[in-house]
Amino acid sequence: MDRRIKYRHLEAFIAIARVGRLNRAADQLNLTQPTISKTLKDLEDILGVTLLMRDRAGVALTPEGQVFFQFAEQSIAALQIGLQNITNLSSDAGSTLLIGALPSVAAQILPRAVENFLHVAPDTVIQIDEGSHAELTGRLRAGNLDLLVGRMGSLETMEGLSFTQLYNEKIVAVVAPDNPLCDATKLAQITDSLVIYPPKDSAIRPLLARAMIASGLPIFKNRIETVSGSFGRAMVLGPQRAVWFISHGVVADDLGQGRLAKVQIDLGTTQGPVGIMARSEEMAGSHVHLFRQALLEASISLRSSQM
């Protein structure tokens, strides 16, 4: 951008274009007509084009002016929102940020993001609610959550929501470290075992079902459906010796510390995007914007640590 373009140039040009007359625009901005006329001419000289055609009836945008007007107006609006959000940071001290979290993010990226966020907004109360994909997307659409973080669901569950991808993640099958099924390489080898399987309203269920179909297998008959992390760990490590299918992020720390072991079945086809969901029509407030930035920074840090 040409550094000679100043806020006063954009403000004068937008005002003139909106009202269609130099004298009315000058009155709105508390300027004299010669001053606003000179400001417009300076802008046109900087850009090297004519933005407005002048005649006795007023002014009209040239084709170049029509293009520039759209982006100049957006720039001013964005700057005004930014200034307002700076004010809101202090006035919203002590406010509550409502974050929905799907299981795949609660153990890894979310703690990092919260730590990043509290460095810049220490007086904000963060409420984190876990639940199923269907439940949390419904609450987000209804305005009962500010953001939702987790796996992207099917198209019908994403209606009215925007999605910003943070990283990709796949499903893993995990067992107790001393379980002989650690060495299993095919889904058919665990069909007789008790399986902890994602429920129907979870984001990962269709991905795992697709992997089962690709292997020519029906859904496991001996299964318990849940995405509860505490229940899954208890069933894997207890006398039931269950096999647990879950997003890698839920059990990443357990695998890293050796508390759980990954079954050697290739589930690469279950890889899917994890990211930030928000109401698509809504302009984010200051704290929501800062938390989004904290999530983006946390995802970069997480990817770097896994390299």
Side-chain angles (χ1 to χ4, degrees):
M1 178 175 171
D2 195 315
R3 293 178 181 270
R4 293 173 296 170
I5 298 176
K6 307 298 182 185
Y7 181 88
R8 60 185 175 84
H9 292 129
L10 302 181
E11 184 182 43
F13 167 65
I14 290 170
I16 298 168
R18 282 176 177 170
V19 300
R21 287 187 176 275
L22 285 169
N23 56 348
R24 290 181 187 173
D27 289 342
Q28 282 188 2
L29 299 178
N30 294 316
L31 299 172
T32 64
Q33 187 167 331
T35 298
I36 199 170
S37 181
K38 182 179 185 304
T39 302
L40 175 61
K41 185 178 185 305
D42 288 344
L43 177 61
E44 290 179 324
D45 288 343
I46 292 169
L47 297 176
V49 297
T50 300
L51 298 173
L52 292 161
M53 296 298 295
R54 306 157 182 80
D55 57 30
R56 292 183 179 180
V59 296
L61 288 166
T62 63
E64 293 83 359
Q66 291 174 355
V67 171
F68 189 71
F69 176 75
Q70 175 187 354
F71 294 101
E73 196 172 39
Q74 290 174 358
S75 299
I76 293 293
L79 182 58
Q80 289 171 340
I81 292 170
L83 293 171
Q84 184 60 51
N85 282 341
I86 290 174
T87 302
N88 291 344
L89 277 177
S90 56
S91 63
D92 287 349
S95 62
T96 299
L97 190 63
L98 303 175
I99 305 297
L102 294 168
S104 59
V105 301
Q108 276 200 304
I109 189 173
L110 209 53
R112 298 180 188 219
V114 168
E115 182 180 1
N116 293 342
F117 175 79
L118 290 178
H119 280 308
V120 293
D123 296 326
T124 305
V125 176
I126 303 174
Q127 178 179 318
I128 296 176
D129 293 342
E130 289 192 66
S132 68
H133 193 278
E135 174 198 351
L136 293 179
T137 51
R139 288 181 58 192
L140 179 61
R141 266 189 295 270
N144 298 323
L145 290 174
D146 293 310
L147 290 175
L148 172 57
V149 192
R151 273 188 180 256
M152 183 171 68
S154 59
L155 290 178
E156 55 269 22
T157 65
M158 296 298 295
E159 184 177 355
L161 302 178
S162 64
F163 183 84
T164 304
Q165 183 170 337
L166 296 172
Y167 56 90
N168 281 310
E169 182 180 63
K170 64 182 178 181
I171 300 171
V172 292
V174 296
V175 292
D178 60 346
N179 192 321
L181 288 175
C182 285
D183 297 326
T185 58
K186 296 181 180 180
L187 287 168
Q189 294 175 255
I190 60 173
T191 52
D192 294 331
S193 303
L194 174 62
V195 169
I196 309 300
Y197 199 82
K200 291 181 180 179
D201 59 358
S202 69
I204 65 174
R205 170 89 170 222
L207 301 173
L208 186 53
R210 193 157 57 229
M212 296 288 294
I213 293 169
S215 297
L217 298 172
I219 191 170
F220 298 104
K221 289 184 178 181
N222 188 18
R223 71 182 187 276
I224 299 173
E225 297 188 357
T226 183
V227 289
S228 168
S230 56
F231 181 79
R233 290 178 181 86
M235 295 299 289
V236 167
L237 298 174
Q240 298 84 4
R241 311 286 281 174
V243 180
W244 185 17
F245 288 91
I246 193 67
S247 290
H248 178 266
V250 178
V251 292
D253 289 342
D254 299 280
L255 293 171
Q257 297 296 323
R259 292 187 293 266
L260 297 174
K262 180 182 172 184
V263 181
Q264 299 304 306
I265 298 171
D266 182 10
L267 293 172
T269 58
T270 65
Q271 184 162 283
V274 173
I276 307 166
M277 286 158 270
R279 290 178 291 279
S280 55
E281 78 285 354
E282 188 170 297
M283 181 68 73
S286 55
H287 284 74
V288 174
H289 176 77
L290 286 174
F291 197 82
R292 290 178 67 100
Q293 186 60 38
L295 284 163
L296 291 167
E297 292 170 359
S299 70
I300 294 171
S301 174
L302 179 61
R303 291 197 300 269
S304 298
S305 68
Q306 293 174 344
M307 288 180 172

